[in-house]
Amino acid sequence: MVIVFVLVALLVLAAFGALHWYAWRRLVRDTTRGPGLARRVGTAVFIAGPVLLFAAFGAERGGAPFWLQQTLGWPGFLWLALALYLLLALLAGEAVRPLLTRLLARRAPAPAERPRPAVREPEPVPAGAKPTDRADATATAETPATTDATTTTDPASADGTAPDAGSPLQPAGASPSGVSRRLFVSRVVGGAVAATAVGTVGYGTYGVVRGPKVKRVTVPLAKLPRAAHGFRIAVVSDIHLGPMLGRGFARKVVDTINATQPDLIAVVGDLVDGSVKDLGPAAAPLAGLEARHGTYFVTGNHEYFSGAEQWVEEVRRLGMTPLENDRRELPYLDLAGVNDIAGEDDGQGPDFARALGDRDTSRAVVLLAHQPVQIHDAVDHGVDLQLSGHTHGGQLWPMNYVAEAANPTLAGLERYGDTQLYVSRGAGAWGPPVRVGAPSDITVVELASKQA
């Protein structure tokens, strides 16, 4: 088993290195004339980026000092996102490169033809002239007149300037700027690739740090009484407080949720990426969450990477109610919660029978479960609505296709038999603090009674 793991790791590293070499070749080597400052700087960037990335992963997983995690996190994880979009843009650039080359070749001026010397007819020789006179006259007609030294056959002008582009001395395949056509195309494509990747990552980072937007969804429940029509649950998942998203981000989340004035708040896992010791101050603003029927919490897989038992106690101290395979009977419905699947390794996995057994099945029940794959157990236990997160909506396009293949629902509301599943894209981000094609959200789920 260890040998297989090592071989897979080596294959991943080889592929990672090959992709970086390809990107360096196209963006650095092919866009520079030769060894020099520009090539050295570009090479340094392509070496420092992966080094910082692996250092950031190692610091986070190895429990390095928190200040070191923060120092390495931003540049390291941002490089991961930047490398992804550099490669995607380069692949698109490979399709554009031959088209641009042909376009330049078509628009290049044809080399000018050299004028041929005129052949003059010999002048007639007067009657009685000697043959030598005729030969002299012919030689005079065919010999060009002597000119000044400045009017030579050298294509350079008298003031020493170079010939214009398209002149007979310009190298074949040269662009109007004087560089080779191949170098010119590489610079144009490389510049477009870099601008696209940097712009995409920059916009995606801004989308995360500005905080999540509010999304509203109405979900009708057959068993919900008329008195509970319009009951609002603020669903937030995947906040991922950590080295990059800290106390300020937590405050934005709290302010956004409280502004919706929900009846109940559901925190459905992946609250943190780190220990209580490191992230306790960052999570402190969560004590300000306000809802008429309280705030409830279930664990996600990342809680089990960060010390789940300690975090369960910490969220309780912050005023939340952890639902560890447990249920609460509210005035108009039952609210249940199960642990995440990742807890199975510690003997703390989900227990649907414990959370949902011996309940009044005539009452509507809403289940909090971090991962959408838990929907099948929810269907078997007669759950009316499951609220989940975990997928991030894919977070970074085109990773949404991978996330969609691994989960029954990527994001949004879907029905499975008599059970409905709503999956939030999450409020924060894991790894790169970047989202592309999957904007973060806090969802207000408004329950509707079919009797109303």
Side-chain angles (χ1 to χ4, degrees):
M1 186 66 182
V2 175
I3 295 176
V4 173
F5 176 80
V6 171
L7 289 175
V8 171
L10 290 175
L11 287 174
V12 170
L13 287 175
F16 189 79
L19 291 173
H20 273 74
W21 176 84
Y22 163 68
W24 169 84
R25 179 185 170 214
R26 281 305 196 193
L27 294 174
V28 178
R29 194 194 72 175
D30 290 356
T31 59
T32 52
R33 291 181 183 270
L37 179 61
R39 182 171 292 190
R40 287 196 296 269
V41 171
T43 302
V45 169
F46 272 90
I47 293 174
V51 169
L52 287 170
L53 172 60
F54 285 115
F57 268 118
E60 183 175 317
R61 293 301 180 193
F66 194 62
W67 66 265
L68 183 59
Q69 295 182 41
Q70 291 177 306
T71 302
L72 296 173
W74 278 100
F77 287 114
L78 281 177
W79 176 258
L80 179 60
L82 184 61
L84 170 64
Y85 289 106
L86 282 175
L87 289 171
L88 292 175
L90 280 170
L91 292 176
E94 296 296 352
V96 175
R97 188 182 300 271
L99 299 177
L100 183 57
T101 301
R102 285 198 291 269
L103 177 63
L104 289 176
R106 186 177 302 171
R107 297 186 63 181
E113 296 183 357
R114 294 180 180 274
R116 296 180 179 178
V119 179
R120 299 180 62 182
E121 294 293 334
E123 296 182 1
V125 180
K130 296 179 180 180
T132 55
D133 295 335
R134 180 182 181 92
D136 292 341
T138 303
T140 301
E142 293 179 353
T143 302
T146 302
T147 60
D148 188 79
T150 58
T151 57
T152 66
T153 56
D154 189 342
S157 63
D159 59 0
T161 57
D164 293 335
S167 70
L169 291 189
Q170 186 174 358
S175 71
S177 62
V179 300
S180 71
R181 186 178 300 149
R182 180 177 179 180
L183 180 59
F184 179 76
V185 170
S186 294
R187 287 179 175 178
V188 170
V189 174
V193 164
T196 299
V198 171
T200 300
V201 173
Y203 184 76
T205 303
Y206 169 73
V208 172
V209 298
R210 75 180 175 187
K213 299 294 185 180
V214 174
K215 182 179 179 180
R216 298 180 184 274
V217 176
T218 300
V219 180
L221 298 181
K223 297 177 182 179
L224 192 71
R226 182 189 299 268
H229 182 75
F231 189 91
R232 288 169 295 132
I233 303 175
V235 182
V236 58
S237 73
D238 304 281
I239 298 175
H240 286 287
L241 297 179
M244 289 169 286
L245 300 178
R247 187 184 182 94
F249 186 77
R251 171 55 59 191
K252 290 180 182 178
V253 170
V254 170
D255 291 344
T256 302
I257 292 174
N258 287 345
T260 67
Q261 298 182 333
D263 296 301
L264 183 147
I265 299 171
V267 183
V268 288
D270 281 6
L271 174 64
V272 292
D273 281 308
S275 66
V276 173
K277 175 184 176 182
D278 291 336
L279 294 176
L286 297 174
L289 289 170
E290 298 176 355
R292 186 157 56 103
H293 292 283
T295 300
Y296 295 84
F297 168 83
V298 293
T299 56
N301 54 310
H302 282 249
E303 269 70 60
Y304 293 96
F305 306 149
S306 307
E309 293 183 2
Q310 293 181 356
W311 275 111
V312 167
E313 292 304 315
E314 181 67 11
V315 298
R316 184 178 282 114
R317 190 184 69 80
L318 292 173
M320 303 183 204
T321 301
L323 293 176
E324 297 182 279
N325 299 320
D326 201 359
R327 181 178 76 252
R328 293 289 185 275
E329 293 183 0
L330 303 179
Y332 304 114
L333 54 86
D334 290 345
L335 182 71
V338 292
N339 294 346
D340 186 70
I341 300 170
E344 292 177 347
D345 294 337
D346 301 326
Q348 300 176 13
D351 189 338
F352 284 82
R354 178 181 168 188
L356 298 165
D358 301 327
R359 70 179 187 86
D360 183 355
T361 56
S362 67
R363 286 167 56 89
V365 58
V366 175
L367 175 70
L368 310 185
H370 178 63
Q371 298 195 38
V373 295
Q374 296 171 282
I375 183 62
H376 305 296
D377 290 309
V379 172
D380 293 340
H381 287 82
V383 170
D384 296 285
L385 172 64
Q386 175 178 315
L387 301 175
S388 299
H390 183 65
T391 70
H392 296 208
Q395 186 169 326
L396 295 171
W397 182 92
M399 298 306 296
N400 56 300
Y401 297 111
V402 177
E404 189 171 17
N407 294 277
T409 297
L410 180 67
L413 182 67
E414 287 190 356
R415 177 177 289 276
Y416 293 82
D418 293 331
T419 303
Q420 297 181 80
L421 168 65
Y422 180 78
V423 181
S424 169
R425 291 191 181 97
W430 178 76
V434 184
R435 281 178 173 265
V436 177
S440 58
D441 68 63
I442 290 170
T443 304
V444 175
V445 174
E446 185 171 328
L447 303 181
S449 171
K450 290 188 175 182
Q451 304 173 25

